[in-house]
Amino acid sequence: MIDYLIQNLWLAWLLVGIVCLILELMNGDFFIMCFAIGGFCSSISTVFTDSIVVHVIVFAAFTVLSIFSVRPIALKYLHQGADSRPSNADALIGREGEVTDTIEAGGYGRVKIDGDSWKAKSVDGMEIRRGLVVRVLRLESIIATVECC
């Protein structure tokens, strides 16, 4: 069985790529697509070598490269902020949420938007108490800058 797998290793890597591509179509965040790219590149590398170590290195290298290069481009040009899922940060701008932990003056608190909790800070540096409704003005990394509605 092991010999068969080693002889047909490209099939295993191709299967990894196809499964990740199917998961990507269901998810739509372009993160799993990076694993699909790594799987496809590993299946191509079997033409050059039968070393499992080389295949794993190729898989890891192309996955990481695509996370930093392909995914941001895909999110920017394919979604264009029209996606309502919280995984697409641009879709949160302008949305309203409820403060779950008081946002301290000059500090941070938490805001719940569509069931997801986000770290937040006040746009004017004023304290915003728990339970108030706020609007997201911009998003920097995972921190939402908010104002009271």
Side-chain angles (χ1 to χ4, degrees):
M1 181 72 173
I2 303 267
D3 291 336
Y4 177 78
L5 273 175
I6 290 174
Q7 289 172 354
N8 297 302
L9 200 54
W10 69 275
L11 283 172
W13 285 112
L14 190 63
L15 183 63
V16 166
I18 290 171
V19 167
C20 288
L21 202 55
I22 290 169
L23 288 172
E24 178 56 46
L25 292 173
M26 293 168 32
N27 182 20
D29 188 28
F30 301 107
F31 185 74
I32 300 173
M33 178 184 64
C34 301
F35 291 101
I37 291 170
F40 292 136
C41 291
S42 292
S43 68
I44 292 169
S45 73
T46 58
V47 172
F48 305 107
T49 180
D50 285 335
S51 171
I52 294 174
V53 173
V54 171
H55 297 207
V56 171
I57 290 171
V58 168
F59 176 77
F62 277 95
T63 300
V64 169
L65 282 173
S66 58
I67 285 173
F68 290 112
S69 60
V70 175
R71 184 173 180 264
I73 293 169
L75 280 173
K76 183 175 182 181
Y77 292 106
L78 295 178
H79 278 303
Q80 296 178 353
D83 192 354
S84 63
R85 286 176 288 211
S87 61
N88 188 354
D90 293 337
L92 290 176
I93 296 173
R95 307 271 301 273
E96 293 181 357
E98 182 181 335
V99 177
T100 55
D101 291 334
T102 299
I103 301 171
E104 300 173 7
Y108 297 95
R110 307 232 22 119
V111 173
K112 186 174 254 184
I113 304 170
D114 292 340
D116 289 318
S117 181
W118 294 83
K119 188 174 181 181
K121 67 178 180 177
S122 171
V123 70
D124 54 7
M126 299 293 289
E127 179 180 292
I128 303 177
R129 293 214 169 100
R130 181 179 176 194
L132 291 177
V133 175
V134 291
R135 180 178 297 113
V136 178
L137 291 183
R138 66 181 174 271
L139 206 68
E140 300 161 10
S141 183
I142 58 168
I143 301 172
T145 302
V146 296
E147 70 175 354
C148 282
C149 294

